[in-house]
Amino acid sequence: MITGDYPITAAAIAKQAGLDVHEVITGNQIKLMSDLQLAELVRRVNVFARVLPEQKLRIVQAMKQNGEIVAMTGDGVNDAPSLKAAHIGIAMGGRGTDVAREASSIVLLDDDFSAIISAIRLGRRIYDNLRKAMAFIFAVHVPIAGLTLLPLVFGLPLILGPVHIAFLELIIDPVCSLVFEAEREERDVMARPPRRADSPLFTWTLVSWSVLQGALIFVLVAVLFVIALHAGMPADEVRALAFFALIGSIVGLVLVNRSFSSSFLSAFFRPNLALAVILLSIAGALGTALLWPPASSLFRFGPLHPDDLMIALGPGVAMLVVLELLKPLWRRRLRS
């Protein structure tokens, strides 16, 4: 808390606000300090009183020198320099001056500080959801690329043609733009420490996790495909079996990536209307492709029996189990 009030008043208000008041530093004391001394002081002092505008600016600069991300609130003309110097200046929209509002990055229209907490919560949710979508889109293209190249390399019947790729993209794009965007925040979203300012959005840990997920799907579906061919199934039926297994695994991939911290079951029961609509659409489209002869001919699918469909669910279920067992080992690094 930085204020122009007297030290006794500042300490009383700071205690009411829940700040840990060890000592109160005044503007006169700051005037006698060097920049290095002030930078050391702001590490342990929470309350500053009888502070002039230029001293507010020095305090903000000292915190930035310590590597802190600084947000400054204010409403007066004398707050404008420090509002401008802070990483995030937050002005009061109701009683704030025009100068303070112009110098700030954010204006609180209702002058309610609780809106800052809501903004932080929303920002962390958006950040998490962006990373989830990026992890999914990176992972989902690993098995698609692998299953496209596998038959070409080993002279096997093709699994994926242009129509199959187009169908997959009709699933992937809505999942990235709708499902993950609509995800609620994680339970611990406000309990985490702030992330480093230089931390990348897409880390090598997240890349590794995505590649692991995609590679696991590729291996499971490819093994099913090869086994079905060696069992003597016709090529069109094997194609349908592998494609259904791939779609089931992609659905499992969506469910796994809905949360980096929660288990699959807790995330599964978290409502997401966009996910429900897309899952129903996928089921309807696959049913049409399998049961309607013109669609089956377009996809070059052979008939599948109920036991074949149960087998096709195997890779998706196996992937869910394996990734849920591995998730606790990656959880802390994925959330950082």
Side-chain angles (χ1 to χ4, degrees), residues 147 158-160 164 220-249 286 290 299-316:
L147 293 173
L158 293 179
I159 304 174
L160 301 176
H164 305 104
L220 291 172
V221 176
V223 167
L224 178 64
F225 173 69
V226 172
I227 290 176
L229 281 177
H230 281 282
M233 287 184 68
D236 54 354
E237 293 183 16
V238 175
R239 181 179 299 108
L241 183 69
F243 190 74
F244 273 63
L246 177 60
I247 295 295
S249 299
L286 287 178
L290 188 63
F299 281 87
R300 298 170 64 190
F301 283 167
L304 291 181
H305 304 93
D307 55 338
D308 296 325
L309 294 176
M310 294 301 295
I311 292 173
L313 292 176

Side-chain angles (χ1 to χ4, degrees), residues 126-145:
I126 292 172
Y127 182 84
D128 280 351
N129 289 348
L130 279 173
R131 296 180 77 240
K132 292 172 186 177
M134 291 174 68
F136 168 78
I137 200 168
F138 196 98
V140 76
H141 284 92
V142 173
I144 292 175

Side-chain angles (χ1 to χ4, degrees), residues 15-271:
K15 289 178 181 177
Q16 292 179 25
L19 293 176
D20 190 6
V21 184
H22 293 298
E23 60 180 315
V24 178
I25 299 299
T26 65
N28 288 332
Q29 293 172 279
I30 294 175
K31 188 186 304 183
L32 302 175
M33 295 181 185
S34 66
D35 290 340
L36 289 177
Q37 290 173 322
L38 184 58
E40 180 61 31
L41 182 73
V42 296
R43 295 178 185 273
R44 54 183 176 83
V45 176
N46 291 329
V47 182
F48 299 87
R50 303 300 289 168
V51 175
L52 298 174
E54 60 269 23
Q55 293 164 349
K56 291 183 181 181
L57 178 60
R58 286 190 64 197
I59 293 171
V60 169
Q61 292 172 335
M63 290 180 174
K64 292 173 68 175
Q65 184 180 336
N66 290 336
E68 301 285 353
I69 301 299
V70 183
M72 176 75 182
T73 62
D75 56 9
V77 174
N78 61 342
D79 294 318
S82 52
L83 287 170
K84 188 69 175 179
H87 292 103
I88 305 169
I90 306 173
M92 305 298 108
R95 65 178 182 272
T97 61
D98 291 341
V99 175
R101 290 198 294 266
E102 288 294 329
S104 298
S105 308
I106 298 173
V107 177
L108 301 179
L109 297 179
D110 56 1
D111 291 2
D112 185 358
F113 275 22
S114 64
I116 299 174
I117 301 174
S118 300
I120 294 172
R121 183 186 301 274
L122 178 61
R124 291 188 176 191
R125 172 193 165 192
I126 292 172
Y127 182 84
D128 280 351
N129 289 348
L130 279 173
R131 296 180 77 240
K132 292 172 186 177
M134 291 174 68
F136 168 78
I137 200 168
F138 196 98
V140 76
H141 284 92
V142 173
I144 292 175
L147 293 173
T148 301
L149 295 174
L150 177 68
L152 298 176
V153 173
F154 294 98
L156 303 173
L158 293 179
I159 304 174
L160 301 176
V163 66
H164 305 104
I165 299 296
F167 184 87
L168 289 170
E169 290 301 324
L170 290 175
I171 297 174
I172 294 169
D173 288 349
V175 166
C176 291
S177 58
L178 297 176
V179 173
F180 288 114
E181 188 276 334
E183 277 297 316
R184 296 183 178 182
E185 66 270 9
E186 303 280 356
R187 289 177 299 179
D188 64 341
V189 69
M190 296 302 288
R192 307 175 201 162
R195 66 179 184 274
R196 290 175 54 89
D198 58 351
S199 62
L201 181 63
F202 205 51
T203 63
W204 283 111
T205 300
L206 197 59
V207 171
S208 303
W209 176 243
S210 300
V211 170
L212 175 64
Q213 294 177 90
L216 181 60
I217 293 175
F218 167 67
V219 169
L220 291 172
V221 176
V223 167
L224 178 64
F225 173 69
V226 172
I227 290 176
L229 281 177
H230 281 282
M233 287 184 68
D236 54 354
E237 293 183 16
V238 175
R239 181 179 299 108
L241 183 69
F243 190 74
F244 273 63
L246 177 60
I247 295 295
S249 299
I250 290 175
V251 171
L253 190 64
V254 175
L255 299 178
V256 167
N257 284 285
R258 288 186 68 190
S259 174
F260 290 143
S261 58
S262 302
S263 66
F264 153 71
L265 289 177
S266 60
F268 182 79
F269 290 105
R270 194 164 57 202

